[in-house]
Amino acid sequence: MNTIFKGDSINKGARILANMIKDSGITVILTGAGMDTESNIPDFRGRDGWWKNIDPRQVASIYTFDRDYPLFHEFYSMRIKILEGVEPHEGHYILADLEKKGLIDSIATQNVSGLHSRAGSNNVYELHGNIRTIRCNQCNNEGKLEDFLAGKDCSFCNNKALRPNVVLFGEALPMDAWSRAEEDIKKSQLLIIIGTSLEVYPVSYLPILTKGKIVLINNEDVNANYEFDIKLIGKAGEILKELDKYIA
Ligand code: OAD
């Protein structure tokens, strides 16, 4: 089908999507950084995204962690500080409410902000980890956020190896979150993909697992080697508010 709704037709697309949600037995949401930009967290490949000025392999890789800890530390401290005072926006709360109403089953997210859980969603699979929790890369013990920010060594093994619990380039995804997301998407009758360029493997491959309908909500069209049933092009938060009007 691949029908695109944008501008004045968003309202029609939102109504169609609301009916798709009501008709679906199992609905899964897959989110990316575009879900969080309306909470003032920059995305990666959008107009003002992180990777416009920085090469991800230079800062967000296990290679940098091993060979240039100060650079790794500076980049992740900056990303953690950006989250200070950040709150979920209405779109996050609408998704949490849809779960409470039994209309969506789970959210698989590439975001490390933790905003879905903070908004009240329970079944959240953080495929790229969570930036607010810290562990030691040597002894694997939990660390404190303030110790990481202060550049302290691990208090258990004394190594300079504290790091946020995020997936770095060159690392595997967390097994548990990944297999739950795979399982849910395989069973899903509707998969709604929100705010992602779908450029990063293996998450970009997840949608092919569904036998159900696939919907995109993004502020630009994206390339994928699978068909979308409908695409709603615009701001995620605004589209979710529109959708919410037709859910009641
Ligand atoms: P990207 O930055 O690649 O894509 C975000 C998409 O959301 C882009 O298409 C934006 O245009 C769109 N967008 C931005 N704001 C939006 C809004 N308010 N409403 C709707 N769409 C909006 O982010 P991801 O696809 O999440 O991984 O990136 C995937 C991974 O690449 C990240 O998890 C991170 C990064 O490297 C690691 O660090 C391992």
Side-chain angles (χ1 to χ4, degrees):
M1 194 163 50
N2 205 358
T3 313
I4 296 186
F5 298 96
K6 57 182 175 184
D8 290 344
S9 71
I10 279 292
N11 166 285
K12 185 174 174 203
R15 186 155 32 90
I16 292 171
L17 179 55
N19 287 330
M20 287 167 89
I21 292 174
K22 288 175 193 166
D23 290 345
S24 160
I26 299 180
T27 297
V28 178
I29 309 288
L30 173 63
T31 64
M35 181 71 212
D36 285 356
T37 54
E38 287 158 83
S39 287
N40 294 322
I41 303 175
D43 63 7
F44 296 94
R45 296 172 188 79
R47 218 173 23 147
D48 303 312
W50 285 109
W51 302 155
K52 289 287 166 200
N53 301 310
I54 307 173
D55 175 355
R57 284 168 304 261
Q58 292 283 324
V59 290
S61 71
I62 190 63
Y63 182 87
T64 308
F65 176 87
D66 286 336
R67 289 177 177 72
D68 191 351
Y69 187 80
L71 177 62
F72 171 87
H73 183 264
E74 186 187 343
F75 178 65
Y76 277 97
S77 299
M78 184 165 67
R79 286 193 51 196
I80 290 168
K81 283 180 188 151
I82 280 179
L83 293 182
E84 273 170 27
V86 156
E87 296 293 338
H89 61 72
E90 216 176 320
H92 294 104
Y93 288 107
I94 288 168
L95 292 179
D97 192 48
L98 288 175
E99 183 192 35
K100 283 188 189 79
K101 288 181 169 133
L103 290 170
I104 65 173
D105 293 81
S106 54
I107 300 178
T109 186
Q110 297 164 88
N111 299 343
V112 295
S113 61
L115 289 184
H116 286 302
S117 302
R118 275 180 57 199
S121 291
N122 289 312
N123 294 329
V124 181
Y125 310 137
E126 292 182 315
L127 302 171
H128 289 170
N130 187 307
I131 202 168
R132 295 177 198 258
T133 59
I134 303 294
R135 71 179 152 89
C136 173
N137 202 54
Q138 293 290 332
C139 68
N140 225 20
N141 275 302
E142 203 177 308
K144 288 188 185 143
L145 190 64
E146 58 269 28
D147 287 352
F148 172 73
L149 289 173
K152 289 191 181 163
D153 296 344
C154 170
S155 57
F156 293 93
C157 70
N158 298 320
N159 279 300
K160 188 158 279 312
L162 291 181
R163 56 169 291 179
N165 259 320
V166 294
V167 176
L168 301 174
F169 286 96
E171 291 185 320
L173 270 55
M175 203 55 167
D176 189 47
W178 177 257
S179 45
R180 281 157 176 257
E182 259 193 340
E183 219 172 280
D184 283 13
I185 291 174
K186 277 184 192 160
K187 290 187 296 199
S188 65
Q189 292 168 10
L190 176 62
L191 175 66
I192 307 173
I193 300 172
I194 308 178
T196 171
S197 61
L198 289 170
E199 280 195 25
V200 173
Y201 184 83
V203 169
S204 56
Y205 134 98
L206 277 174
I208 66 165
L209 298 177
T210 185
K211 294 186 186 70
K213 294 182 171 150
I214 311 182
V215 173
L216 176 74
I217 298 179
N218 207 56
N219 67 5
E220 60 179 11
D221 202 353
V222 298
N223 291 318
N225 52 5
Y226 32 82
E227 285 283 307
F228 293 90
D229 287 85
I230 59 170
K231 292 175 174 175
L232 282 78
I233 304 296
K235 283 188 167 184
E238 290 176 8
I239 293 173
L240 289 168
K241 275 192 253 176
E242 201 59 35
L243 170 72
D244 198 40
K245 290 185 196 162
Y246 296 105
I247 287 291

